[in-house]
Short mmCIF file of all heavy atoms in Angstrom, two decimals:
data_model
loop_
_atom_site.label_atom_id
_atom_site.label_comp_id
_atom_site.label_asym_id
_atom_site.label_seq_id
_atom_site.Cartn_x
_atom_site.Cartn_y
_atom_site.Cartn_z
N ILE A 389 120.42 112.60 109.35
CA ILE A 389 120.37 111.14 109.33
C ILE A 389 119.53 110.62 110.50
O ILE A 389 118.73 109.71 110.36
CB ILE A 389 121.79 110.54 109.38
CG1 ILE A 389 122.52 110.79 108.04
CG2 ILE A 389 121.75 109.04 109.67
CD1 ILE A 389 123.96 110.41 108.05
N ASP A 390 119.71 111.25 111.68
CA ASP A 390 118.88 110.88 112.84
C ASP A 390 117.38 111.04 112.52
O ASP A 390 116.56 110.19 112.84
CB ASP A 390 119.24 111.73 114.05
CG ASP A 390 120.59 111.41 114.64
OD1 ASP A 390 121.11 110.31 114.38
OD2 ASP A 390 121.14 112.29 115.38
N GLY A 391 117.05 112.16 111.87
CA GLY A 391 115.66 112.42 111.50
C GLY A 391 115.14 111.40 110.49
O GLY A 391 114.00 110.95 110.59
N LEU A 392 115.97 111.03 109.54
CA LEU A 392 115.57 110.05 108.53
C LEU A 392 115.39 108.67 109.16
O LEU A 392 114.50 107.90 108.74
CB LEU A 392 116.61 109.99 107.42
CG LEU A 392 116.65 111.23 106.50
CD1 LEU A 392 117.89 111.18 105.58
CD2 LEU A 392 115.38 111.34 105.68
N ILE A 393 116.21 108.33 110.15
CA ILE A 393 116.05 107.06 110.84
C ILE A 393 114.68 107.02 111.52
O ILE A 393 113.97 106.02 111.47
CB ILE A 393 117.19 106.86 111.86
CG1 ILE A 393 118.50 106.59 111.14
CG2 ILE A 393 116.85 105.72 112.84
CD1 ILE A 393 119.71 106.60 112.06
N ALA A 394 114.32 108.11 112.20
CA ALA A 394 113.02 108.18 112.88
C ALA A 394 111.90 108.03 111.89
O ALA A 394 110.91 107.34 112.12
CB ALA A 394 112.89 109.50 113.65
N LYS A 395 112.03 108.67 110.71
CA LYS A 395 111.00 108.57 109.69
C LYS A 395 110.90 107.13 109.16
O LYS A 395 109.80 106.59 108.93
CB LYS A 395 111.28 109.50 108.53
CG LYS A 395 111.02 110.97 108.84
CD LYS A 395 109.53 111.27 108.99
CE LYS A 395 109.25 112.76 109.17
NZ LYS A 395 109.69 113.26 110.49
N GLY A 396 112.06 106.50 108.95
CA GLY A 396 112.06 105.13 108.49
C GLY A 396 111.35 104.18 109.46
O GLY A 396 110.65 103.26 109.06
N LYS A 397 111.56 104.41 110.75
CA LYS A 397 110.89 103.58 111.76
C LYS A 397 109.37 103.80 111.74
O LYS A 397 108.60 102.86 111.94
CB LYS A 397 111.45 103.91 113.14
CG LYS A 397 112.87 103.39 113.37
CD LYS A 397 113.38 103.72 114.74
CE LYS A 397 114.79 103.14 114.96
NZ LYS A 397 115.33 103.47 116.31
N CYS A 398 108.96 105.04 111.46
CA CYS A 398 107.53 105.34 111.36
C CYS A 398 106.94 104.56 110.18
O CYS A 398 105.90 103.90 110.34
CB CYS A 398 107.32 106.83 111.16
SG CYS A 398 105.63 107.30 110.71
N TYR A 399 107.58 104.62 109.01
CA TYR A 399 107.08 103.89 107.84
C TYR A 399 107.04 102.37 108.12
O TYR A 399 106.09 101.69 107.75
CB TYR A 399 107.98 104.14 106.62
CG TYR A 399 108.11 105.58 106.22
CD1 TYR A 399 109.31 106.08 105.71
CD2 TYR A 399 107.04 106.47 106.33
CE1 TYR A 399 109.45 107.40 105.34
CE2 TYR A 399 107.18 107.81 105.95
CZ TYR A 399 108.38 108.26 105.47
OH TYR A 399 108.50 109.57 105.11
N SER A 400 108.08 101.86 108.78
CA SER A 400 108.16 100.43 109.08
C SER A 400 107.05 100.04 110.03
O SER A 400 106.41 98.98 109.86
CB SER A 400 109.52 100.09 109.69
OG SER A 400 110.57 100.29 108.77
N SER A 401 106.81 100.86 111.04
CA SER A 401 105.76 100.57 112.01
C SER A 401 104.39 100.51 111.34
O SER A 401 103.59 99.60 111.59
CB SER A 401 105.75 101.62 113.13
OG SER A 401 104.70 101.40 114.03
N MET A 402 104.15 101.47 110.47
CA MET A 402 102.88 101.49 109.75
C MET A 402 102.72 100.22 108.89
O MET A 402 101.66 99.57 108.88
CB MET A 402 102.79 102.73 108.87
CG MET A 402 101.51 102.88 108.09
SD MET A 402 101.59 104.37 107.06
CE MET A 402 99.91 104.40 106.42
#
Side-chain angles (χ1 to χ4, degrees):
I389 289 173
D390 290 340
L392 290 169
I393 289 171
K395 287 291 186 288
K397 289 181 178 179
C398 170
Y399 302 144
S400 295
S401 177
M402 181 182 186

